[in-house]
Amino acid sequence: MDLPRAFTIRESGHRVHNPFTEENLATLGRALRLAPGTRILDLACGSGELLCTWARDHGVAGTGVDISTVFLAAAGARAAELGVADRVGFVHGDASGHVAPEPVDLAACVGATWIGGGVAGTVGLLERSVRPGGLLLIGEPYWRREPPDLKTVEACGATARDDFLALPELLGHFGELGWDVVEMVLADQQGWDRYVAAQWLSIRRWLDENPDDEHAGEMRAELTTGPVSYVRYQREYLGWGVFALMKR
């Protein structure tokens, strides 16, 4: 049970595995007014940057769950580096079936709503772990501009236009599910650049070091076509944000 190797190759240089910059993540932590001792569950936590930096900056504690052994190793190292290993821990497992043994103050899934089959299912999954009056965090793409055709949709990682919503539709959807949107921090194009463009250098360096690897052809094709596709489609049409929710 692990992520596809191509994913960990392209994001090997990342601490945050989505279009959020480290500054965005810090802004979100401050915006949520986290009290020391806040208990967090982070599903599909990646390399654990949210838990580790918020433990350092706000005194929170919590658990991250992820399927990637590579990212979890990085998360453990980051916790040790920041001196918070006594407050945060990481579990290798399928986040789609994970429920906290005791209710937490904040349950998060930042950029991986596929674990619940979409936004509604992920909200339902997180709700099983959060205490009454607690917070949910959902990180999700949305359409910045209406995609003109299926080619644009597919270049943005979707199979149909309805896979993502426009921002007003997304916020309305949270309300339809019975949740108030109480905060949000949105990525910008610089955040997208730092997430996607940073992958190109990781891929190129990996290719130079592993020219005969079985994944070399796949990664070379991605590096050849990816930059132009990104600036033509994803950078222009796709937004991304993290939304804080409280049950009505």
Side-chain angles (χ1 to χ4, degrees):
M1 182 173 59
D2 216 324
L3 280 178
R5 189 159 169 241
F7 194 97
T8 55
I9 290 169
R10 73 172 66 94
E11 299 200 16
S12 59
H14 288 54
R15 284 181 176 165
V16 181
H17 301 282
N18 53 57
F20 247 27
T21 63
E22 294 178 15
E23 291 76 15
N24 290 148
L25 193 60
T27 296
L28 179 62
R30 291 191 299 268
L32 296 177
R33 309 170 201 172
L34 298 167
T38 295
R39 297 161 300 158
I40 297 176
L41 173 67
D42 188 6
L43 298 184
C45 67
S47 295
E49 191 71 358
L50 181 153
L51 279 171
C52 291
T53 57
W54 288 5
R56 176 196 63 191
D57 297 340
H58 304 288
V60 307
T63 301
V65 181
D66 203 273
I67 199 173
S68 172
T69 54
V70 173
F71 293 160
L72 289 180
R78 183 66 165 153
E81 175 189 358
L82 297 184
V84 297
D86 59 331
R87 278 179 276 152
V88 299
F90 299 96
V91 175
H92 179 236
D94 182 357
S96 65
H98 190 95
V99 177
E102 297 181 0
V104 298
D105 302 303
L106 188 157
C109 177
V110 179
T113 56
W114 52 266
I115 69 170
V119 169
T122 302
V123 167
L125 174 63
L126 294 175
E127 185 176 6
R128 296 169 61 191
S129 292
V130 76
R131 65 168 175 80
L135 286 166
L136 302 190
L137 290 184
I138 296 284
E140 180 71 3
Y142 60 87
W143 294 117
R144 291 182 63 241
R145 298 167 55 189
E146 183 67 24
D149 49 38
L150 183 59
K151 184 176 183 179
T152 302
V153 168
E154 291 176 343
C156 291
T159 57
R161 189 272 180 208
D162 291 344
D163 286 354
F164 306 135
L165 301 173
L167 186 57
E169 296 171 343
L170 179 57
L171 268 61
H173 185 44
F174 292 134
E176 293 165 357
L177 295 172
W179 294 79
D180 288 325
V181 180
V182 297
E183 254 297 356
M184 70 178 188
V185 176
L186 303 181
D188 57 17
Q189 287 177 307
Q190 181 184 6
W192 273 113
D193 291 348
R194 298 294 12 99
Y195 175 54
V196 179
Q199 297 173 18
W200 307 335
L201 182 58
S202 294
I203 293 172
R204 176 53 195 265
R205 286 181 169 166
W206 181 87
L207 283 168
D208 289 347
E209 294 169 1
N210 301 274
D212 300 320
D213 190 278
E214 61 179 345
H215 290 278
E218 172 189 358
M219 303 313 295
R220 163 41 63 190
E222 181 174 326
L223 183 57
T224 299
T225 62
V228 171
S229 178
Y230 164 67
V231 298
R232 179 171 291 156
Y233 298 111
Q234 190 173 2
R235 192 178 193 272
E236 296 301 313
Y237 288 92
L238 201 60
W240 197 88
V242 180
F243 308 91
L245 313 177
M246 293 183 71
K247 188 75 170 180
R248 288 180 178 168

